Each structure stands twice: as C-alpha cells, then as structure tokens.
Amino acid sequence: VLYKENVGTGTPTPVTPEMERVKRNQEICSSVLYKENIGKATPTPVTPEMERVKRNQEIISSVLYKENMGKVTPTPITPEMERVKRNQEIISSVLYKENVGQATPTPVTPEMERVKRNQEQISSVAYREGLGKATPSPVTPEMERVKRNQEQISSVLYKEHMAKGTPTPLTPEMERAKRNQENISSVLYSDSFRKQVQGKAAYVLDTPEMRRVRESQKHISTVKYHEDFEKSKGSFTPVVTDPITERVKKNMQDFSDISYRGIQRRVVEMERKRVDQDQENLTG
C-alpha cells in the first residue's frame, strides 16, 4: 500500500516493435542464465517404492480436493443458456478468423512431397520401434460372452439416450433432389475414372512361369480344335432345297460359266462391232 501511495501518476507509453524485441531478448537471456546455473544431477532409477508413493500422493490429493469442495446446487440447462453458448462459439470463431492475417500460398513441389513421404515413413518406423513386446492371449468363450454382453449393453444405452424423431414424408421434390444427387455423383465418378484409369494399360511382367502357362494354353487350344475337327469331319448339315435356292444356284453357275469360258468378253466385242456397223450405216 505504501509503495503504491509513493508512486506518482505516470504517462503510458505504447508498446513498440523495438520494445517487443528487447523483451524477447531478456526472456531468452534469462532462460540461458537459468540453465547455466543448474548444476549436474545424478539420475536415480524409478523404484517400485517410488511408484507406490507417487500413486498414494495422487490418491491423497484427489481425496483432499474433493473434501474441500462445498456442496453445489445443480442448475438445469435452459434454452436461453444453450442460445448464449452457441452465440459465444460463433463470436469466438468470427474473432479468430478476423485475427488471422493474409498468407501467401506456396505450391506443393515434388521435393516437398518426397520430404513428406519420408517423414511419414520415419514416423511409422519410430512408432513401431517404441512398441514393446506383447504376450498374445487366446480368446476364450468367456471373453466372447463378455464382449457380446458389452455390445448389447452399449446398444441398449445408446437407444435409451436417443430422443424421439418426427418422421417426414418422402415428397416428389425430395425424390427429384435424390435422383439429381445420384446423377451428379455418377458424372463425377465417371470423369474421375476417365482421367485416372481409362486409357492406361496395366503392365505385367513377362516371367518364365507366365510364358510356360501361355504355351500350355496354346497347346490345349490346338488339341481341342483338332479334336472338334475330327469329330465333325465327314458330317454335313442338310439344307432344304426350295425354288429360290435353285434359282440362286443356277444364276451363280451361269456367272461362273461366263467368267470361265470368256463369253462375257466375246459379248462385249460383238456389241461394239454392232454399234460400229450401225454408225457406218447411218453415215453412209
């Protein structure tokens, strides 16, 4: 009190970037000096007795904490309290987004992708190294029974906490929106399939085993073909002879005779001579 009475009225000064820098440097120096003053210590192993004392201290602290707590009167959560809580969450979200400054996006380069994959692999390896050896225990019928009981109890408790819902009718508008969503999903899936899979061949190594299987398949196919050919050899399929088939057969025979004997060529020559003779008679 006396100290505050002797303090006069001061003039507030703004916190400048230089003052911020000096403050950070002082904190760093204090941390460095603190670490330099700490001497070397001798590590002591954690014995079972120390573990027991630690657990007892935690239990005693928990008991004393509960004893010092007075009796409270529970208050129900009213709709007004729910509304205020939601408003506070929305205000906090808005203020957080306002305090976030503008950032410069950086492209993801192949080097960054490589480093990211390496970090994931290192994390996976380090995690597996930290795992100790475990002793597998067989799943007994008693354990199966307890597991099923727990699942049933969880299901019953979950259904008890569920409030009653109001069924809504399935209107034509909802059906139309559902079909539109399915169509949009199908279009997006087809576009993704065409871009990623379609037109790309799957390369398979030509191993000696695959070549052997391929040769065996060829031999089996050849044997099967010859077997079917031998069975069908000497047999014929009867066909009904009708007037149309006879006429087509006769025309084909006539065409074959004309082509074979050269009758068509002689007919063309005779026609040309006849035309020439008609021209001479007209001019004469």
Side-chain angles (χ1 to χ4, degrees):
V1 175
L2 294 175
Y3 171 75
K4 293 182 180 179
E5 288 179 356
N6 294 329
V7 175
T9 305
T11 303
T13 58
V15 180
T16 60
E18 182 65 20
M19 294 174 67
E20 289 285 342
R21 186 182 64 80
V22 173
K23 184 178 179 181
R24 285 197 300 272
N25 290 339
Q26 288 293 332
E27 292 175 354
I28 295 170
C29 292
S30 299
S31 176
V32 172
L33 293 175
Y34 173 76
K35 292 180 180 179
E36 288 180 354
N37 293 329
I38 295 176
K40 295 182 179 179
T42 304
T44 57
V46 180
T47 60
E49 182 66 20
M50 294 173 68
E51 289 286 341
R52 185 183 64 79
V53 173
K54 183 178 179 181
R55 283 197 300 272
N56 291 339
Q57 288 293 330
E58 291 175 354
I59 295 169
I60 293 170
S61 299
S62 176
V63 171
L64 292 176
Y65 173 76
K66 292 180 180 179
E67 287 180 354
N68 293 328
M69 289 180 65
K71 295 181 179 180
V72 296
T73 303
T75 57
I77 299 176
T78 61
E80 182 65 17
M81 294 174 67
E82 288 287 341
R83 185 183 64 80
V84 172
K85 184 178 178 182
R86 286 197 299 272
N87 291 339
Q88 287 294 329
E89 291 175 354
I90 294 170
I91 293 169
S92 300
S93 177
V94 172
L95 293 176
Y96 172 75
K97 293 180 180 178
E98 287 179 354
N99 293 329
V100 176
Q102 295 180 353
T104 304
T106 57
V108 180
T109 60
E111 181 66 18
M112 294 173 68
E113 288 286 341
R114 185 182 64 80
V115 172
K116 184 178 178 182
R117 286 196 300 271
N118 290 340
Q119 287 294 331
E120 292 175 355
Q121 293 173 358
I122 292 170
S123 300
S124 177
V125 172
Y127 172 75
R128 293 179 181 176
E129 288 179 352
L131 289 173
K133 294 182 179 180
T135 304
S137 58
V139 180
T140 61
E142 182 66 18
M143 294 172 67
E144 288 287 340
R145 186 183 63 79
V146 171
K147 183 178 178 181
R148 284 196 299 273
N149 291 340
Q150 288 294 329
E151 291 175 354
Q152 293 171 0
I153 293 170
S154 301
S155 177
V156 171
L157 293 176
Y158 173 75
K159 292 179 180 178
E160 286 180 355
H161 292 304
M162 288 179 67
K164 294 181 179 180
T166 304
T168 57
L170 193 59
T171 60
E173 182 65 18
M174 294 173 67
E175 287 286 343
R176 184 183 64 79
K178 183 178 179 181
R179 286 196 300 272
N180 290 340
Q181 287 295 329
E182 292 176 354
N183 294 334
I184 292 169
S185 300
S186 177
V187 171
L188 294 176
Y189 173 77
S190 300
D191 290 341
S192 177
F193 174 78
R194 282 194 296 269
K195 291 178 182 178
Q196 298 179 6
V197 180
Q198 191 174 14
K200 296 181 180 180
Y203 297 96
V204 181
L205 297 177
D206 191 9
T207 59
E209 181 65 19
M210 293 182 68
R211 286 197 293 270
R212 184 184 65 79
V213 172
R214 189 165 57 245
E215 290 294 332
S216 300
Q217 288 293 331
K218 287 181 181 178
H219 294 325
I220 293 170
S221 300
T222 304
V223 171
K224 184 67 176 175
Y225 172 76
H226 283 292
E227 183 180 352
D228 294 339
F229 175 76
E230 291 294 334
K231 288 181 180 179
S232 62
K233 186 170 64 174
S235 61
F236 60 92
T237 303
V239 180
V240 179
T241 304
D242 54 351
I244 296 176
T245 306
E246 289 291 338
R247 183 176 60 81
V248 172
K249 184 178 179 181
K250 188 175 183 302
N251 290 338
M252 293 301 295
Q253 187 66 33
D254 293 340
F255 285 136
S256 298
D257 291 343
I258 290 171
S259 299
Y260 177 73
R261 297 176 183 176
I263 296 175
Q264 183 68 26
R265 187 172 60 255
R266 283 187 291 174
V267 170
V268 172
E269 291 177 357
M270 291 174 65
E271 184 67 23
R272 189 173 61 253
K273 289 179 181 180
R274 188 181 63 79
V275 172
D276 294 340
Q277 187 175 3
D278 291 341
Q279 289 290 334
E280 290 176 359
N281 293 333
L282 291 173
T283 55

